[in-house]
């Protein structure tokens, strides 16, 4: 007999998936005995496995933050479908087409037959999805976001990781400022490594050249998740924009300095803790702009260096 199934739609990026971990874990607890199926990009399968909350990944993606046109769902309709992708109606209708017995989603005037809580624009991403589940009777804890420490050793233990890339130009702090931070840290005797995702090799190469980083301290091309996870978990600190690696560092309790603009940290920032410092000068801007946001450009290398100086040391790994 087929196990009952819960289908969760979150066909977005690394940071989105990590921000959804508290909701996924709540579903895991709330539906024991169910198979939890996550519709997300195929490349995120190792991340989904690391959460301990997902049984199977159903490959699903679309350009940007769009909703996939179809889902390769087979067999009987899901017992529960959960829209962690957006506030509808495209994502609502995609799940409705599978005829789930129950659909958890936010209310929207264009899908009046779906019962759900109101969508609030000014709400943190982790809180938003936990509130959705609470509405539907599933207890969720926004703080339940830690990942287990990787088994593999870090390729650069104790290094400060600088990640100049981000999903949109509006969220990319200038490379020359990262280079200034790198040079200052190396002048203090600290090891600095540069990372980049797929398609960000030019950014990483520019940073490495301007900061005179050795080849051994340059990790471009988009590291496999296990290796990136080990690097981040073993780092002294991670400095980046509002992007996936910042969420990964939070998940591993690695100290972070995250540079925000145009989206405020109240929407996507780390949880309140002295090991995580979010720099933001406001006001909000256009997250899809083709140039770095003016609020982001108000952050200086000295601001970042001061924040790094104020961070506590990384946690010792648990035995």
């Amino acid at each position: 007999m087929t196990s009952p199934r819960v289908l969760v739609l979150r066909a977005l990026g690394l940071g989105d998936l990590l921000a959804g971990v508290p909701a996924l874990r709540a579903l895991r607890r709330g539906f024991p005995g169910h198979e939890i199926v996550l519709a997300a990009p195929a490349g995120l399968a190792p991340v989904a496995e690391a959460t301990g909350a997902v049984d199977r990944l159903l490959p699903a993606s679309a350009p940007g933050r769009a909703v996939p046109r179809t889902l390769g769902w087979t067999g009987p309709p899901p017992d529960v479908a959960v829209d962690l992708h957006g506030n509808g109606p495209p994502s609502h209708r995609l799940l409705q087409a599978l005829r789930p017995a129950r659909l958890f989603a936010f209310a929207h005037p264009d899908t009046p037959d779906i019962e759900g809580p109101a969508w609030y624009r000014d709400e943190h991403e982790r809180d938003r999805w936990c509130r959705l589940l609470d509405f539907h009777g599933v207890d969720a804890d926004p703080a339940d976001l830690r990942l287990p420490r990787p088994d593999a050793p870090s390729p650069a233990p104790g290094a400060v990781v600088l990640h100049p890339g981000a999903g949109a130009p509006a969220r990319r702090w200038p490379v020359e400022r990262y280079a200034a931070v790198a040079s200052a840290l190396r002048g203090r005797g600290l090891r600095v490594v540069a990372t980049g995702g797929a398609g960000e090799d030019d950014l990483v190469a520019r940073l490495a050249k301007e900061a005179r980083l050795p080849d051994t301290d340059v990790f471009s091309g988009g590291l496999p998740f296990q290796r990136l996870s080990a690097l981040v978990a073993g780092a002294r600190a991670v400095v980046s924009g509002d992007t996936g690696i910042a969420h990964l560092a939070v998940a591993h309790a690695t100290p972070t300095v995250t540079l925000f603009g145009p989206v405020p940290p109240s929407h996507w920032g780390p949880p309140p803790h002295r090991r995580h410092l979010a720099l933001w000068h406001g006001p909000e801007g256009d997250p899809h702009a083709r140039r770095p946001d003016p609020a982001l450009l108000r952050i200086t290398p000295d601001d970042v260096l001061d924040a790094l100086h104020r961070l506590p040391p990384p946690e010792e790994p648990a035995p």
Side-chain angles (χ1 to χ4, degrees):
M1 183 175 178
T2 304
S3 299
R5 295 184 291 178
V6 176
L7 173 63
V8 184
L9 176 64
R10 194 156 177 81
L12 298 164
L14 172 63
D16 302 278
L17 176 51
L18 292 172
V21 165
L24 289 170
R25 289 203 173 126
L27 290 167
R28 173 79 287 164
R29 293 189 301 270
F31 292 95
H34 287 60
E35 182 187 25
I36 307 295
V37 181
L38 174 66
L44 294 179
V47 191
E49 182 180 2
T51 69
V54 175
D55 297 307
R56 178 166 61 89
L57 187 135
L58 178 67
S61 61
R65 303 185 68 80
V67 176
R69 286 190 168 189
T70 61
L71 294 175
W73 183 263
T74 58
D79 294 82
V80 182
V82 184
D83 187 355
L84 297 188
H85 192 97
N87 66 335
S91 53
H92 292 178
R93 290 172 177 156
L94 179 66
L95 292 174
Q96 275 186 315
L98 301 178
R99 296 179 290 108
R102 286 192 284 171
L103 175 56
F104 296 173
F106 281 100
H108 193 283
D110 291 342
T111 50
D113 52 323
I114 295 177
E115 182 184 8
W119 175 279
Y120 302 141
R121 178 184 176 276
D122 292 319
E123 184 173 27
H124 197 284
E125 190 74 359
R126 291 187 298 273
D127 297 335
R128 168 177 289 125
W129 303 115
C130 289
R131 181 170 62 86
L132 170 66
L133 296 186
D134 286 338
F135 177 90
H136 289 284
V138 180
D139 290 336
D141 177 8
D144 186 11
L145 46 75
R146 294 282 294 271
L147 292 182
R149 195 171 182 87
D151 293 330
S154 168
V160 177
V161 177
L162 302 186
H163 186 91
R171 293 186 279 119
R172 292 180 198 147
W173 202 49
V175 170
E176 59 271 19
R177 300 193 191 185
Y178 278 104
V181 170
S183 297
L185 294 176
R186 296 185 75 216
R188 299 174 189 175
L190 297 176
R191 185 178 182 184
V192 176
V193 303
T195 63
E200 295 177 344
D201 289 2
D202 287 348
L203 284 175
V204 177
R206 285 175 55 200
L207 170 55
K209 182 179 180 180
E210 291 193 29
R212 299 183 179 181
L213 299 181
D215 291 344
T216 53
D217 292 345
V218 180
F219 298 92
S220 56
L223 289 175
F225 175 72
Q226 291 87 345
R227 188 166 169 80
L228 178 64
S229 189
L231 174 67
V232 168
R236 180 188 182 98
V238 171
V239 180
S240 74
D242 171 20
T243 192
I245 197 170
H247 295 274
L248 183 58
V250 168
H252 284 312
T254 299
T256 61
V257 176
T258 309
L259 287 54
F260 280 86
V263 178
S266 60
H267 291 181
W268 281 93
H273 195 284
R274 65 191 188 98
R275 66 172 166 260
H276 302 304
L277 295 178
L279 304 183
W280 188 64
H281 295 303
E284 290 188 50
D286 178 6
H288 307 294
R290 296 180 178 272
R291 295 182 180 180
D293 187 78
L296 185 63
L297 294 178
R298 293 189 182 96
I299 301 171
T300 68
D302 284 342
D303 291 335
V304 175
L305 291 166
D306 176 66
L308 284 167
H309 180 71
R310 291 186 283 127
L311 288 177
E315 285 187 358
E316 290 295 325

